Every structure is written in C-alpha cells, then in structure tokens.
Amino acid sequence: MLTVLWAARPDRWPAWEAPLERELAGLARIVHEAPEPEAIDAIIYAPNARFSDFSPYTRAGLVQSLWAGVERIVGNGTLTQPLARMVDPGLTDGMVEYCLGWAMRFHLGMDRYAQDGAWRNALIPPLARERRVTVLGAGALGAPVARRLAQVGFDTAVWSASGREVEGLTVIGGEKGLPEALGRAEILVTLLPDTPETRDLLDSHRLAMLPAGAAIVNPGRGTLIEDAALIAALDSGQVGHAVLDVFRTEPLPPGHAFWSHPRVFVTPHIAAETRPSSAAAVVAENLRRLRDGRPFLHLVDRTRGY
Ligand code: NAP
C-alpha cells in the first residue's frame, strides 16, 4: 500500500475525498501530514497550496499535480522527483466547450445583432467551413479543441513547436510557420503553456499578422499576449474581439483596461477546471504505475518547461 501526501489546498479535499477513496482502494492511503517525510511514496500537489519544499520527501517517486499548467512549479529547485501534470477528460471537455462556444459566438457575429434597433439583414454569417480557425498549441487541450472545431466544419489548423503530426488535423510547425498560422486565423485560440519561449508571443508585430478584425480566444495563459499591444490592436480594429480567461495578474486588477474595453470579454479563469470525478482515475493510474515501476503518464519535461 502506497502512502501518499495530500499537498493540495485543504479546502479542496472534500471534493476529492470520495472520488480518490473510490479509485485508490487497495492501492494507496492518503495522509494530510507527514511527520516522517521519508515514509511518503508520492505527493498529490497543486500550485496554489502552501507547499514548496519537496526536499525532505526523499523516497517519493512521483509528484502528481492536480493542475494542467506547471509554470509555477517547474522552476522549483527542491523538486527532484518526477513531476506529472493533470490531463483529465473532464477538464478537456470543459476546455473544448468553452472554446467552441466562444468560437461560435464570434463566427456567427452574435454581438453584431445587439438590441440597438438596427435591422442589419445584409450581415449573413458565412458557414463554418468558410471560416478559418487556428489553434496555437496541439497538446492535450489544443488538439481536442481543434478536432471539435473541425467537426463543426471550421477550416481548422493547429500550430505547435515541433509540428509533429496530430491525427486528423492540419499541423503547422515551428517559428517559421507562425506567420502562416496567424495569417489564416479569422478566429485564433491560444492554448500554449507559459514558458520563456511563449511569453509575449503575440506582440504588436504578430497581432498585425492576423486577418483584420480577427477574434482571439485565450484560455492558455495571460503571458502569451502583450496587454498593451492587444488593447492597441482592438482600438485600431485589427483585432475585432478578445475573450480572455487568463491574465498576468489574477484576479485581474480592478481598473485594468480589459475590464472596460467594449470588445473584450473577461472570464475569471474558469475555462476548464480539473474535475475530481474523472481526474481521480488519472491520479490512481499514475500511482499504479509508480507501484509497478512502469512509465508515468503526462510527465513534465522540466527542461522545456511544460
Ligand atoms: P500540452 O499538452 O503540454 O501542450 C502544449 C502545446 O503547446 C504543445 O502542442 C506544444 O508543442 C506547444 N508549445 C509549447 N511551447 C511552444 C512554443 N514555444 N512554440 C510553439 N508551440 C509550443 O498542454 P495542454 O494540456 O494542451 O495545456 C495548454 C495550456 O492550457 C496549459 O499549459 C495551461 O497554461 C492552459 N490551461 C488553462 C486552463 C484554464 O482554465 N484557462 C485550464 C487548463 C490548462 P509540441 O506539441 O511540439 O510539444
């Protein structure tokens, strides 16, 4: 039986208790304190917990994060244990629905038909197959989001660092492919991690590569887009609308220009949440792999930062 330390926030435990007890039966027992840290086999962690020193946990063979994003932990020098991030079917479904909903809103131009008394019956939206959408990022979230957009009919492409093939999707790869990926993006979805390479990726130069009036959906990370460049692009009409779920500072500070911009929609980092009902099985699978000495799922490559 493995001994696993709960190092996520205590107030999250009630939501996880029953799903984890169900999935870990006979495999692991969860403890909330570790008077003998060297007796701990694995750590369940979340970056918003008050837990930062992994060094006493000399026997721990796995740190399983409950979050998908790892930018707050990859640089932790005390973390020498393998780090797995959360890839949860429930979280993925949430992200797919969030991106699809906003893409449809911008595609159909729902905001053009506001209740202002104007009968704009010349504004007929194109069909999805006539609309080009690019998803930046082709990972655990970017790929399923792109697949669903393509199923709806959008002319969809994904862009990733490696450009590795993703079944059923048009992939554009690497730095050189970015102008092509952006140049086709009437709707742009950004699902990249926060790393030194992706920080400020969408600056004024890159935003100018988008088709005029493009819509941006950013549930990736706030650092991907330069705030001032985005505001300027919105003001000039280069960017038509932006829906932003993630920000450089969260909660988004009162008075930030995003709050009051008429073509910015702020959502409070709710695009996709880890769902204990499905994610507990993911935790259990990695603990089973620890017990059996098999390779872990969703390991983070700390040299790449994601
Ligand atoms: P992932 O599986 O690690 O995929 C990351 C993708 O980004 C990969 O396709 C990767 O390329 C690509 N990439 C990384 N660095 C790049 C670069 N410099 N240039 C071009 N492409 C690059 O991550 P994920 O699970 O899809 O999650 C993506 C992000 O979503 C997370 O990091 C997190 O920040 C965010 N997120 C937000 C919420 C929310 O509620 N708003 C919830 C969960 C996650 P390769 O394929 O070549 O490796």
Side-chain angles (χ1 to χ4, degrees), residues 75-255:
N76 185 327
T78 70
L79 176 61
T80 51
Q81 300 86 345
L83 170 67
R85 68 194 193 91
M86 181 49 68
V87 176
D88 158 37
L91 183 149
T92 304
D93 288 348
M95 186 60 84
V96 167
E97 291 177 21
Y98 178 92
C99 294
L100 178 63
W102 284 101
M104 289 306 288
R105 179 175 182 161
F106 296 135
H107 164 62
L108 293 174
M110 288 173 173
D111 300 289
R112 293 186 307 194
Y113 307 102
Q115 293 168 294
D116 61 358
W119 185 257
R120 297 192 188 87
N121 68 346
L123 291 176
I124 312 291
L127 295 174
R129 64 171 179 265
E130 297 159 334
R131 177 82 69 193
R132 289 176 305 159
V133 179
T134 295
V135 180
L136 300 185
L141 296 174
V145 164
R147 255 186 223 110
R148 185 67 63 83
L149 292 168
Q151 277 165 9
V152 169
F154 289 111
D155 178 353
T156 309
V158 289
W159 179 75
S160 70
S162 60
R164 72 186 154 78
E165 253 180 60
V166 186
E167 204 192 325
L169 291 174
T170 304
V171 182
I172 304 172
E175 179 87 26
K176 278 195 187 142
L178 190 55
E180 180 192 346
L182 294 177
R184 67 184 306 287
E186 293 172 88
I187 298 173
L188 181 72
V189 178
T190 49
L191 274 168
L192 295 166
D194 174 8
T195 69
E197 285 72 35
T198 62
R199 228 155 273 160
D200 297 322
L201 183 81
L202 296 178
D203 56 12
S204 55
H205 173 65
R206 301 264 175 57
L207 290 172
M209 294 177 181
L210 294 167
I216 296 177
V217 181
N218 181 20
R221 279 294 179 261
T223 50
L224 302 176
I225 313 179
E226 273 187 5
D227 290 13
L230 179 57
I231 293 287
L234 283 155
D235 286 342
S236 72
Q238 169 59 15
V239 172
H241 290 92
V243 55
L244 309 173
D245 187 55
V246 282
F247 304 91
R248 283 162 201 270
T249 305
E250 295 186 6
L252 183 65

